[in-house]
Amino acid sequence: MAELVRICSKAELPWEGEAKEFEVGDRQICVAMANGKLSAMNNLCPHRGGPLGQGLVEQGKIVCPWHAWTFDLQTGAAVHNPDVKVTLYELKVEGEDVLVQL
Ligand code: FES
């Protein structure tokens, strides 16, 4: 069953055009901000596990810092092959807390 988990405070969220990594238990979550929208996803790139939260945010997409696979922040789909997807998580801001549905 999906679980709603606090990952950070609102003040810790990335700025527009940035991404950050957060740890929740044994999971790593990437949160990115593009075009005023926040996206939360598995921080591990589906290619070889690169840290997406250390990647660049460009034109609504995040670029993995290891081999530059690029993923759409709204769908999680890889630009070069839409069948390859990074898992997105629902993100909610409640008061000062940022929660994701894992
Ligand atoms: S690990 Fe992300 S592109 Fe290779």
Side-chain angles (χ1 to χ4, degrees), residues 27-59:
R27 297 193 205 214
Q28 293 177 22
I29 311 291
C30 165
V31 177
M33 170 79 96
N35 305 318
K37 288 186 185 167
L38 288 164
S39 303
M41 69 209 77
N42 187 340
N43 192 48
L44 302 180
C45 176
H47 180 216
R48 297 220 181 138
L52 292 176
Q54 294 175 30
L56 289 177
V57 175
E58 292 179 344
Q59 299 178 341

Side-chain angles (χ1 to χ4, degrees), residues 14-33:
W15 296 103
E16 175 66 34
E18 291 185 346
K20 277 190 176 182
E21 300 167 296
F22 298 95
E23 274 192 27
V24 182
D26 57 356
R27 297 193 205 214
Q28 293 177 22
I29 311 291
C30 165
V31 177
M33 170 79 96

Side-chain angles (χ1 to χ4, degrees), residues 75-85:
T75 66
V79 169
H80 71 286
N81 180 354
D83 290 338
V84 176
K85 290 190 176 180

Side-chain angles (χ1 to χ4, degrees), residues 45-52 64-71:
C45 176
H47 180 216
R48 297 220 181 138
L52 292 176
C64 179
W66 283 8
H67 315 99
W69 281 24
T70 302
F71 301 90

